Amino acid sequence: MTDLLPRIARTRASLLAAGFDLLVERPIDAIPIDDLVAKAGVAKGSFFNHFKDKSEFAAEIAKEVRLELEALVSKANETVSDPVERIAGGMRVGLEFAIRQPKRSMALLRSMGAPTMREHPLNDGLRADIEAAASRKLIRPEAERLGVLYWLGLCQVLMHDALIGSIPLSEAENRLSDMLVLGLTGLGVPAKRAAAIASKQSIGRKKAI
């Protein structure tokens, strides 16, 4: 009995590690459960002891990475009070994560599902910033309803762009700046202010205006 829980935990960890490896190569729908258990070195029945199906398995992988990413965003924004700057900072952190953690980032992008929903708990931080910005009339009213989906979509596109193309850091920063301006103006932020906020975001550090 004393060894049961550690063994269960090891099996689960092996399955998740296998999922991360395989998601680098292909999306979850293209990964048979047989491949997952073979990669993990466990019996097929073990998969169903831990996960109902591949959708639940993918959601768990996405949750693990999103929690890690959200912790980094929270840390980066801990001294930032402006909700629009916090929204921008989240995109910067997402791009940095894609550059520094390509394997985990690809696994996240290939297993995203429910976390893109506005009310999902993993989106609490972004939703709160968007609601705060909307209440202060810093962004357009429509953003309060659709802003989470819109911003997550832009962040995913930018992260995917960094993962599929080997681009120099300077080009990554240029793309971040351009995406921030496009994204923030799309939320209703005036172009001049969007450009000023974008100029403060730099991969690995913040610039002062």
Side-chain angles (χ1 to χ4, degrees), residues 11-86:
T11 299
R12 181 182 176 85
S14 294
L15 286 165
L16 290 172
F20 278 111
D21 286 339
L22 293 173
L23 280 165
V24 172
E25 306 166 1
R26 46 197 154 133
I28 189 65
D29 289 343
I31 303 174
I33 291 176
D34 286 342
D35 288 7
L36 281 169
V37 296
K39 182 77 172 177
V42 301
K44 187 170 184 178
S46 297
F47 179 90
F48 296 101
N49 290 335
H50 294 274
F51 308 101
K52 180 177 67 176
D53 51 30
K54 285 198 301 182
S55 295
E56 184 175 278
F57 178 74
E60 188 61 27
I61 285 181
K63 177 182 176 182
E64 181 176 320
V65 184
R66 275 294 302 276
L67 285 172
E68 181 180 353
L69 184 51
E70 289 306 306
L72 292 172
V73 172
S74 295
K75 182 173 177 58
N77 281 335
E78 61 187 358
T79 61
V80 181
S81 58
D82 185 323
V84 178
E85 289 194 24
R86 290 172 61 86

Side-chain angles (χ1 to χ4, degrees), residues 109 112 116 151-161:
L109 296 180
M112 287 289 279
T116 61
W151 201 255
L152 285 176
L154 294 181
C155 290
Q156 288 179 40
V157 167
L158 189 61
M159 290 174 70
H160 189 264
D161 182 57

